[in-house]
């Protein structure tokens, strides 16, 4: 068994200080690639704790290099937290509510940062492990692809982690539970924009034009036949047309109609199928009506797919820290996450740390789970202690276990 330090106590001055940092970050939210103040704060704390800091990957990214007291094995491990906020007006009135109109931490990245900082501080004080931990504080998860940028700029060449782990707070389940499973746990996220080019005419003389609106209607219906008839029934995938724009007047057949929406899958193979068939449907539907179209398909985030060994390793550690009764199977969700880029580059796993029913929020906001991306959201500070203890135990047990992967 690995030599383990005492776990962090929830009522310790250490955690009280980290809660203060979390609330300070919440009060000063910064959007993707603009996390200058947050990155400064993270770097300052890591430096205070004797952890060398590297900055600049992904513009505002921070990586701390925490070496164990016996750093002789050459073993390495990456832990990741995201730092960015959302362009959303906060409705909370507590003291640490956002001080910047139109920006708030509505997804808990302030809490993820706090959890990793708490683990870093404890590990820095008790370096009874043989290896190096890379503490990855990532910018721009919310649509900016900060994970992709860090990987492309050489994250794992500069900091060659054997494996990488991350977590996200998850409303609705009892606080302190954790869900982790092998395989796909979050979906890919892609966007499409289809511009149908018809021919304008007076609405009283439609035969003199080519109306793009009924073409669009046929296209929307046909896309759902891809879901129901082209993919295997057991494969999960969603095509959502969420915007249709056409026309400026009630008595004019418009020249153009624009369709926009998203596609989500749990596999790149199915994503390839959806893109290919949507393009065919769009182009041939237009051709059937003597119109044409411009088809744009942008792949944003790939699916987040946990590696089997790492997911099982994290599950075992979580059972030790949280109790086996609090470790659940991870139900995949169709939301997307750019930790997926890190899991494409390195083995690893991404878990959901349950944040409860929302009762920790201001009075009047306790009805039901504190769902993500809503203006009354606030991270549940009670998660900092179990989350940090999970990372601390994971570090010790990872380095105590036999090396599974060749050195990067």
């Amino acid at each position: 068994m690995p030599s383990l330090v005492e776990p962090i106590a929830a009522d310790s001055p250490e955690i009280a200080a980290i809660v203060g940092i979390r609330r300070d970050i919440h009060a000063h939210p910064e959007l993707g690639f603009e996390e200058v103040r947050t990155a400064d704060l993270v770097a300052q704390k890591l430096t205070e704790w004797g952890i060398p800091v590297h900055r600049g990957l992904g513009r505002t990214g921070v990586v701390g290099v925490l070496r164990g007291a016996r750093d002789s094995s050459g073993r390495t491990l990456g832990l990741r937290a995201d730092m960015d906020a959302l362009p959303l007006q906060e409705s909370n009135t507590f003291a640490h509510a956002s001080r910047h109109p139109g920006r708030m931490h509505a997804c808990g990245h302030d809490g993820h940062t706090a959890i990793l900082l708490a683990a870093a501080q404890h590990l820095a004080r008790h370096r009874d492990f043989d290896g190096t931990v890379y503490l990855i504080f990532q910018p721009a998860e919310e649509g900016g692809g900060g994970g992709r940028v860090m990987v492309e700029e050489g994250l794992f060449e500069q900091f060659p982690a054997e494996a990488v782990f991350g977590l996200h707070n998850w409303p609705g389940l009892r606080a302190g539970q954790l869900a982790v499973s092998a395989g796909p746990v979050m979906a890919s996220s892609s966007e499409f924009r289809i511009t149908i080019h018809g021919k304008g005419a007076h609405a009283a003389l439609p035969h003199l034009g080519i109306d793009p609106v009924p073409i669009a209607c046929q296209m929307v219906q046909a896309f759902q036949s891809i879901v129901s008839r082209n993919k295997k029934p057991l494969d999960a995938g969603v095509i959502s047309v969420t915007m249709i724009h056409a026309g400026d007047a009630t008595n004019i057949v418009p020249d153009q109609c624009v369709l926009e929406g998203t596609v989500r899958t749990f596999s790149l193979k199915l994503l390839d199928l959806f893109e290919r068939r949507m393009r065919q449907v769009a182009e041939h539907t237009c051709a059937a009506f003597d119109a044409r179209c411009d088809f744009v398909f942008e792949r944003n985030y790939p699916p987040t797919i946990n590696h089997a060994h790492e997911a099982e390793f994290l599950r075992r550690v979580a059972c030790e820290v949280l109790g086996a009764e609090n470790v659940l199977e991870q139900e995949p969700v169709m939301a997307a996450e750019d930790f997926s880029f890190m899991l494409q580059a390195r083995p690893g796993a991404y878990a959901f740390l349950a944040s409860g029913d929302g009762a920790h929020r201001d009075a009047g906001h306790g009805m039901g789970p504190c769902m993500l991306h809503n203006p009354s959201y606030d991270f549940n500070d009670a998660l900092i202690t179990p989350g940090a203890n999970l990372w601390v135990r994971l570090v010790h047990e990872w380095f105590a276990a036999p090396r599974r992967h060749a050195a990067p």
Side-chain angles (χ1 to χ4, degrees):
M1 288 293 294
S3 174
L4 298 176
V5 300
E6 288 295 316
I8 308 168
D11 59 354
S12 66
E14 181 179 6
I15 290 297
I18 294 294
V19 169
I21 292 171
R22 199 285 295 180
R23 296 185 178 189
D24 179 71
I25 294 172
H26 188 97
H28 300 89
E30 296 172 300
L31 301 180
F33 298 122
E34 299 174 2
E35 307 93 338
V36 176
R37 184 185 185 277
T38 306
D40 286 345
L41 179 58
V42 167
Q44 174 192 340
K45 292 301 175 182
L46 295 179
T47 301
E48 286 179 8
W49 302 329
I51 302 171
V53 169
H54 297 259
R55 302 185 64 172
L57 283 176
R59 288 188 258 176
T60 49
V62 179
V63 181
V65 180
L66 176 55
R67 302 188 187 282
R70 300 189 304 279
D71 188 26
S72 60
S73 67
R75 301 290 304 280
T76 57
L77 180 67
L79 300 176
R80 173 267 201 178
D82 37 18
M83 301 187 294
D84 59 321
L86 282 159
L88 189 65
Q89 180 64 40
E90 183 160 4
S91 64
N92 294 311
T93 58
F94 43 57
H96 62 277
S98 173
R99 299 178 188 176
H100 302 293
R103 284 182 277 162
M104 74 167 290
H105 273 287
C107 202
H109 297 183
D110 52 341
H112 305 161
T113 296
I115 287 172
L116 189 52
L117 284 174
Q121 182 181 27
H122 201 67
L123 288 166
R125 290 176 176 173
H126 308 279
R127 300 186 185 228
D128 189 20
F129 56 89
D130 188 355
T132 299
V133 184
Y134 299 124
L135 307 161
I136 304 165
F137 294 87
Q138 179 211 300
E141 190 281 323
E142 297 288 359
R148 172 184 55 79
V149 175
M150 290 189 82
V151 170
E152 289 177 350
E153 292 183 357
L155 173 64
F156 293 122
E157 286 72 37
Q158 295 184 49
F159 310 101
E162 295 171 27
V164 62
F165 292 86
L167 60 76
H168 202 294
N169 74 102
W170 208 252
L173 301 174
R174 182 161 53 82
Q177 293 183 319
L178 183 122
V180 61
S181 297
V185 294
M186 299 189 80
S188 65
S189 174
S190 301
E191 298 177 358
F192 60 87
R193 179 185 175 92
I194 304 167
T195 304
I196 302 168
H197 299 280
K199 181 180 178 183
H202 195 289
L205 303 168
H207 60 290
L208 299 179
I210 300 174
D211 191 345
V213 175
I215 300 174
C217 293
Q218 296 237 7
M219 206 176 288
V220 171
Q221 296 285 9
F223 287 160
Q224 298 314 311
S225 71
I226 299 174
V227 176
S228 65
R229 289 296 178 265
N230 291 152
K231 75 171 184 65
K232 295 179 180 178
L234 296 180
D235 290 342
V238 177
I239 300 174
S240 297
V241 179
T242 55
M243 291 189 284
I244 302 179
H245 301 287
D248 298 304
T250 58
N251 63 343
I252 298 174
V253 172
D255 288 309
Q256 294 183 351
C257 182
V258 178
L259 305 180
E260 296 185 71
T262 64
V263 171
R264 299 174 186 272
T265 71
F266 287 130
S267 76
L268 294 177
K269 181 178 180 181
L270 182 56
L271 184 58
D272 290 340
L273 170 67
F274 276 3
E275 180 179 358
R276 176 175 57 83
R277 288 294 293 127
M278 288 180 69
R279 183 184 298 275
Q280 291 173 339
V281 165
E283 292 177 347
H284 289 287
T285 301
C286 284
F289 290 92
D290 205 21
R292 63 181 182 84
C293 71
D294 299 322
F295 182 90
V296 177
F297 195 97
E298 295 182 353
R299 300 189 180 201
N300 296 328
Y301 293 175
T304 302
I305 302 175
N306 283 344
H307 297 247
H309 174 265
E310 285 68 29
E312 174 59 20
F313 195 97
L314 181 56
R315 187 196 67 79
R316 292 200 308 269
V317 172
C319 287
E320 296 170 6
V321 174
L322 305 174
E325 70 280 5
N326 291 317
V327 181
L328 313 174
E329 289 295 312
Q330 196 169 12
E331 182 178 350
V333 296
M334 279 290 173
E337 162 63 55
D338 78 346
F339 189 67
S340 54
F341 292 104
M342 296 189 186
L343 290 180
Q344 286 185 328
R346 284 292 186 273
Y350 191 69
F352 298 154
L353 183 61
S355 54
D357 62 3
H360 64 280
R361 291 180 291 175
D362 269 359
H365 293 305
M367 299 299 291
C370 185
M371 298 308 297
L372 308 174
H373 291 221
N374 81 74
S376 67
Y377 174 88
D378 188 33
F379 180 81
N380 187 350
D381 288 326
L383 301 187
I384 294 176
T385 301
N389 280 325
L390 179 69
W391 285 156
V392 169
R393 179 70 71 93
L394 180 71
V395 166
H396 282 269
E397 298 213 7
W398 183 264
F399 293 136
R403 184 195 299 270
R404 177 177 173 82
H405 305 289

